[in-house]
Amino acid sequence: MFDHLLKYFQKVKDRRITYLFDQDKKRAMNFSVLQEDLFLDFSKTNIDQPTLELLINLAKFRGISKARDAMFRGELINTSEGRAVLHTALRNLEATPIYVNKLDVMPSILQTLERMKVFSDRVRSGQFSGQGGAITDVVNIGIGGSDLGPAMVVKALAPYDDGPNCHFISNVDGSHVHDVLSKLNPEKTLVIVASKTFTTSETMKNAQTAYDWMSGTVNEPCLQFAAVSTAIQKTDEFGISRDHVFGFEDWVGGRYSLWGPIGLSIIIALGAEAFESLLIGAHEMDVHFKTAEMEKNLPILLALVGVWHNQICNYSTRAVLPYDQRLSKLPAYLQQLEMESNGKSVDLDGSPLDFHSSPVVWGESGTNGQHAFFQLLHQGTRIIPCEFLVAAQSHEPYLDHHHKTLLSNCFAQSEALMHGRSFEEVCSKLSSDDIHHEKFEEQARHRVFQGNRPSTTLLYSKLTPKILGKIIALYEHRVFVEGKILGINSFDQWGVELGKELATGLENFLTTGSDSNDLNASTQNLVKVAKTMW
Ligand code: F6P
């Protein structure tokens, strides 16, 4: 499937990206797309016109448009679980009908959204109160998609946050629940148990611990609990009143779920208007994805750049570098979105892949990363494509003192990665004393930057709810396109099951010392040694 691209890559792999700029004076324009308030620049990559054409042909050959339409229509494209994939319906505020098993899902989505608005207004206004009065703190207990999306969005949109303080507990490590709850007043706290399945062991343990904590002072703790789940019977069993339970359907994947009830903490923090703007932004990206021609289609282009770097150039990791402190949780969010979606070894038919699937996605906000791992990005032996994100404007009135410095740093990094600094350039910068030094050559070599390291930059006007919605939806669709090109199911996650099963068995072994014959000697020994340290 990648033959033409691989062959072409062999021809151009040693060429410098700067050479492409010399050849095409309009390259900066030709290899970038402005979509309203988002500007994607992929000119600092080794992609030229023939490469782009080959990539677009690949997307066409893999049937992206047809597959995309099938997803939006609600077809059962998550074949290993027999489910539709309809997170896009959660932001379809136009309410055009979408059918799953011949039933229009829109009325129930809008009804739930309305209930979320009413509930969040009541919490924010103090009408819904705890035993000790108005709610001052909201604790979202969830993990994976039931945590990362809401936590990332609440942090990203801090300038719009005028509700109770939101906290997020995910890790089963007792220190997490302890450190959050120990600072809160149970009588003024609302706990949201967010779990699609309502069976995830970490979440259920943390929920129980929070319940016990609240029971210490609150007479009816369940009145200060809300739940978000597809498993209403289980939320009933927990004892949470249905007035505080917000349901959704199994066609919303965990890592795609922040747009619906899993976003309850977001709507409580930011209010209904900002939450709706987030949805509107995402919906606008859905429309763009559905209607823009491939050459101008942001999710398709971003995915094609990804395929070029990962499957063709064999760069196995990608750094996500938001020059936006409020997006510092974006790399972690994208790790789940991309690696849980596309970290697969078999295609839709279960046949082994003969190419690599998802790259390792990692990153950190700039400029912090510059003082940590950028050394390796610039001079390490591996080439790591970098994805910069930055806002043209900040919310703070520090344009001159901070924001111009932030922008300069962001743009300087992609320039430095691409251009590098040759031995000759280093020499021309050294002083005459240096040049006459006996170890002159050796000294100079340490200062050489090979350059020719690719990057993309996503420049957006300002991190508003609407623009954040667009950015997240852009990444969601990029994952979909990459998955479709690779021929895998981006919507299941069987790879997390084995560890879960073994952990249950090991917990029994740790607790009771019961049968452990099926465990490897190393694992058995780790248990034994841990016990000697209790
Ligand atoms: O890590 C596996 C996973 O199933 C994720 O896909 C999901 O987001 C997370 O666990 C939490 O699941 P739940 O919302 O059902 O608790």
Side-chain angles (χ1 to χ4, degrees):
M1 149 170 72
F2 299 124
D3 288 355
H4 295 307
L5 278 156
L6 288 168
K7 212 164 143 197
Y8 190 68
F9 172 64
Q10 286 310 318
K11 278 214 287 205
V12 300
K13 66 181 171 30
D14 297 324
R15 140 186 102 184
R16 292 196 69 85
I17 301 169
T18 47
Y19 165 81
L20 295 175
F21 280 92
D22 296 340
Q23 294 299 300
D24 175 3
K25 297 296 170 214
K26 291 193 175 156
R27 180 170 173 81
M29 300 292 291
N30 292 342
F31 290 81
S32 60
V33 176
L34 177 65
Q35 199 276 327
E36 293 176 1
D37 25 34
L38 297 185
F39 180 69
L40 173 68
D41 177 3
F42 60 105
S43 61
K44 290 193 186 90
T45 64
N46 194 359
I47 293 176
D48 58 5
Q49 199 52 40
T51 318
L52 191 58
E53 278 160 27
L54 286 171
L55 286 165
I56 287 177
N57 285 344
L58 174 69
K60 287 183 181 157
F61 171 69
R62 300 298 290 167
I64 296 301
S65 310
K66 229 169 125 198
R68 171 195 62 201
D69 295 344
M71 172 175 75
F72 278 96
R73 263 200 311 273
E75 288 181 22
L76 304 187
I77 61 166
N78 173 358
T79 45
S80 74
E81 295 179 323
R83 292 175 183 165
V85 173
L86 272 179
H87 46 282
T88 50
L90 298 174
R91 55 221 192 193
N92 173 28
L93 297 183
E94 290 162 12
T96 42
I98 298 174
Y99 296 97
V100 175
N101 297 327
K102 299 194 177 136
L103 195 76
D104 180 10
V105 297
M106 286 317 301
S108 108
I109 287 177
L110 295 178
Q111 204 182 21
T112 306
L113 178 60
E114 197 47 42
R115 286 187 59 230
M116 286 169 65
K117 285 183 187 171
V118 171
F119 183 70
S120 61
D121 278 350
R122 292 185 64 230
V123 174
R124 288 163 57 83
S125 66
Q127 256 180 304
F128 176 99
S129 56
Q131 184 172 288
I135 296 295
T136 55
D137 294 89
V138 173
V139 177
N140 184 83
I141 297 183
I143 196 165
S146 302
D147 166 75
L148 290 164
M152 185 268 287
V153 171
V154 169
K155 183 159 202 272
L157 297 178
Y160 303 85
D161 186 342
D162 55 2
N165 301 316
C166 275
H167 311 268
F168 294 88
I169 298 175
S170 52
N171 202 323
V172 75
D173 181 343
S175 62
H176 201 179
V177 65
H178 172 271
D179 290 355
V180 173
L181 297 185
S182 59
K183 294 192 184 75
L184 305 183
N185 175 355
E187 297 187 19
K188 293 182 171 194
T189 297
L190 169 71
V191 174
I192 301 171
V193 186
S195 174
K196 178 175 170 180
T197 54
F198 231 69
T199 56
T200 304
S201 113
E202 293 95 325
T203 300
M204 299 328 293
K205 288 221 165 174
N206 281 326
Q208 191 58 53
T209 306
Y211 184 90
D212 295 345
W213 165 78
M214 205 176 267
S215 314
T217 43
V218 172
N219 298 329
E220 292 188 82
C222 272
L223 295 181
Q224 286 177 227
F225 267 67
V228 175
S229 185
T230 57
I232 304 303
Q233 208 185 323
K234 294 199 169 67
T235 64
D236 282 349
E237 285 161 19
F238 195 95
I240 302 174
S241 156
R242 286 213 181 180
D243 290 345
H244 315 161
V245 174
F246 301 86
F248 60 105
E249 302 295 329
D250 65 6
W251 35 256
V252 179
R255 51 195 176 273
Y256 299 87
S257 62
L258 70 90
W259 316 104
I262 290 289
L264 189 62
S265 51
I266 305 175
I267 195 170
I268 294 176
L270 312 180
E273 201 185 321
F275 188 69
E276 215 165 272
S277 299
L278 185 78
L279 302 187
I280 289 170
H283 180 66
E284 284 183 7
M285 183 52 67
D286 295 342
V287 173
H288 167 79
F289 180 42
K290 281 199 280 190
T291 56
E293 53 182 327
M294 286 202 179
E295 290 75 4
K296 300 273 173 221
N297 195 306
L298 294 185
I300 295 181
L301 288 172
L302 212 49
L304 293 177
V305 174
V307 168
W308 170 252
H309 284 153
N310 184 19
Q311 281 75 26
I312 310 301
C313 304
N314 209 13
Y315 305 147
S316 55
T317 89
R318 188 177 94 244
V320 176
L321 307 165
Y323 272 63
D324 194 324
Q325 184 56 26
R326 293 198 178 104
L327 283 182
S328 58
K329 285 181 178 281
L330 184 71
Y333 169 79
L334 291 182
Q335 282 178 332
Q336 187 199 17
L337 182 66
E338 301 200 28
M339 292 159 77
E340 201 171 74
S341 296
N342 287 345
K344 309 286 164 65
S345 298
V346 295
D347 66 13
L348 286 173
D349 299 329
S351 311
L353 300 180
D354 55 9
F355 42 80
H356 286 301
S357 56
S358 171
V360 174
V361 177
W362 60 285
E364 173 62 83
S365 56
T367 59
N368 292 356
Q370 287 176 207
H371 300 273
F373 53 81
F374 271 54
Q375 163 64 39
L376 182 148
L377 297 182
H378 286 288
Q379 286 190 318
T381 49
R382 287 190 173 83
I383 293 188
I384 298 173
C386 294
E387 200 160 273
F388 294 94
L389 294 99
V390 70
Q393 291 174 52
S394 83
H395 285 276
E396 285 61 44
Y398 304 140
L399 177 64
D400 283 327
H401 194 55
H402 286 276
H403 204 67
K404 285 184 184 168
T405 313
L406 182 75
L407 280 165
S408 314
N409 271 277
C410 179
F411 299 156
Q413 290 302 327
S414 63
E415 177 78 19
L417 285 163
M418 176 180 71
H419 197 280
R421 179 168 281 167
S422 65
F423 186 77
E424 292 69 32
E425 285 170 324
V426 171
C427 294
S428 72
K429 290 221 160 245
L430 291 177
S431 69
S432 59
D433 280 359
D434 290 326
I435 291 174
H436 293 109
H437 193 279
E438 54 173 316
K439 291 192 171 171
F440 156 69
E441 272 205 35
E442 182 187 314
Q443 291 296 329
R445 274 199 299 273
H446 287 288
R447 291 159 173 76
V448 168
F449 292 66
Q450 284 168 351
N452 216 21
R453 296 179 179 220
S455 69
T456 59
T457 300
L458 184 68
L459 175 64
Y460 45 95
S461 52
K462 192 173 182 177
L463 196 59
T464 61
K466 193 169 150 195
I467 291 180
L468 180 64
K470 273 188 167 186
I471 293 174
I472 302 170
L474 164 63
Y475 276 101
E476 286 179 346
H477 294 321
R478 175 236 192 108
V479 166
F480 170 80
V481 175
E482 284 196 26
K484 185 63 201 161
I485 288 177
L486 304 181
I488 59 183
N489 183 354
S490 301
F491 301 102
D492 61 10
Q493 57 285 316
W494 297 104
V496 300
E497 293 305 322
L498 179 58
K500 283 188 196 170
E501 270 171 42
L502 292 182
T504 310
L506 265 159
E507 200 168 330
N508 289 337
F509 182 36
L510 269 161
T511 312
T512 63
S514 64
D515 176 30
S516 62
N517 293 339
D518 47 354
L519 289 176
N520 172 276
S522 155
T523 312
Q524 294 200 38
N525 206 34
L526 284 168
V527 171
K528 277 192 201 130
V529 175
K531 281 181 163 180
T532 66
M533 295 176 177
W534 281 353

